[in-house]
Amino acid sequence: DADYETIAVRIAGRVATITLRRPEALNALNLRMMRELVEAAHRLDDDRAISVLILEGSARAFAAGADIKEMADRSYSEMYLADWFTAWDRLTAIRKPMIAAVAGYALGGGCELAMLCDVIVAAQSARFGQPEVKLGIPPGIGGSQRLTRAVGKAKAMELCLTGRMMDAHEAERGGLVARVVPDDELGREVGELAEAMAAASLAALLTIKECVNRAFETPLAEGVRFERRAFHAAFATADQKEGMAAFAGKRPPVFTHG
Ligand code: CO8
């Protein structure tokens, strides 16, 4: 952690938790945080001893967006030539499941960061929104695309065009959020969810994440074909043999994650 200024990483068993650590700015996402977070996520993705990543903010804010103060005075050519914020896209290359534990504000880039994760668990205090319209800009880290896929056109249009925040229950009803839990249980619930995933075969987790993500990239028939090939390929793994032998033997499986 000595390496990082804006995040903290802790590891428990096969679960790694990354905590955003600029609470004084409601975890506003500046360039340094982007670099550190993307680097840490890739390092953990490469670590065979880890199966699941959790991303969390503070009790008051998951992240209140991109750092407005850092962006405010940039010119078009500075933003364009620096390809401002493109590095966030590198999170889409993470192969392990990433769970966003959201309490408080998840706005703008913060909402987009949560949507770059695979599962969002929201505390009752969570507030989601794309308030960029109020700043005279559109979303810039995929919000107009991922929010639309998550909650549908009508709600995405309304939220992006007004900047209105939705609470945790509305986000759950809309399909953005997997589960809503009391604030003081967020850490435990997300930890248990991560543990449940981490008990499974790592190869199965990677394959399933890849398959589900295909649903957003391909026509249905192609996606189904992709899944079928992944299904067949699973029979080359030791974990498939162990998983099925354990079922037949009425005992818990012991996966080697190979
Ligand atoms: N950027 C920088 N600083 C911030 C941000 C932010 N996004 N959000 C909050 N802060 C700072 C505040 O300036 C304040 O700092 P200070 O104490 O030094 O004045 C501190 O955090 C606490 O915030 P508030 O005093 O405002 O707290 P409140 O409880 O009164 O309000 C809100 C909380 C409602 C969350 C309010 O802070 C707010 O509206 N924040 C901005 C939300 C926003 O507009 N987010 C979208 C940002 S734009 C974006 O994310 C685009 C992403 C894509 C860019 C890609 C470019 C290519």
Side-chain angles (χ1 to χ4, degrees):
D1 269 27
D3 303 349
Y4 300 121
E5 184 185 292
T6 61
I7 61 170
V9 177
R10 65 179 195 277
I11 291 172
R14 299 191 62 80
V15 176
T17 301
I18 303 175
T19 307
L20 305 178
R21 236 181 19 178
R22 295 188 70 212
E24 72 289 352
L26 301 184
N27 287 329
L29 308 164
N30 61 13
L31 289 179
R32 174 150 196 158
M33 193 190 266
M34 174 181 71
R35 284 192 205 105
E36 292 187 349
L37 175 55
V38 170
E39 196 273 332
H42 275 276
R43 194 187 288 193
L44 295 164
D45 204 38
D46 291 343
D47 184 344
R48 283 286 293 277
I50 302 292
S51 286
V52 179
L53 277 57
I54 296 171
L55 182 58
E56 66 178 16
S58 66
R60 227 183 124 203
F62 178 73
D67 192 318
I68 298 169
K69 294 163 190 167
E70 193 182 51
M71 285 185 290
D73 295 325
R74 306 278 164 176
S75 67
Y76 167 76
S77 53
E78 276 178 292
M79 299 297 279
Y80 178 69
L81 292 173
D83 210 357
W84 200 270
F85 279 165
T86 294
W88 286 115
D89 295 344
R90 291 185 54 217
L91 288 181
T92 62
I94 298 296
R95 298 169 74 206
K96 292 170 183 168
M98 274 183 73
I99 305 170
V102 176
Y105 298 111
L107 301 177
C111 185
E112 293 168 308
L113 177 57
M115 292 191 291
L116 278 164
C117 297
D118 303 303
V119 179
I120 302 176
V121 178
Q124 265 154 0
S125 67
R127 298 286 178 276
F128 298 88
Q130 298 290 158
E132 288 88 344
V133 63
K134 297 180 186 170
L135 301 168
I137 54 171
I141 315 173
S144 63
Q145 307 303 299
R146 292 197 180 89
L147 188 64
T148 306
R149 280 166 163 78
V151 304
K153 179 180 167 183
K155 208 179 254 301
M157 280 286 189
E158 190 230 335
L159 289 165
C160 291
L161 293 173
T162 63
R164 176 176 77 79
M165 291 185 222
M166 61 178 166
D167 68 18
H169 293 290
E170 183 180 358
E172 187 188 30
R173 284 196 305 278
L176 178 67
V177 156
R179 238 193 253 178
V180 181
V181 301
D183 278 69
D184 56 3
E185 286 171 28
L186 180 65
R188 191 180 53 75
E189 289 270 354
V190 170
E192 283 176 14
L193 178 62
E195 289 295 336
M197 290 182 192
S201 154
L202 177 57
L205 294 175
L206 301 188
T207 303
I208 292 165
K209 171 168 168 166
E210 198 180 1
C211 287
V212 173
N213 278 334
R214 273 285 156 140
F216 295 99
E217 307 284 355
T218 53
L220 179 61
E222 276 310 310
V224 171
R225 249 191 296 277
F226 181 86
E227 182 198 74
R228 185 83 16 89
R229 299 313 306 251
F231 179 84
H232 294 155
F235 285 74
T237 66
D239 286 346
Q240 174 269 328
K241 296 286 172 288
E242 169 60 12
M244 292 194 177
F247 176 80
K250 299 187 189 299
R251 61 170 176 83
V254 182
F255 292 119
T256 56
H257 306 291

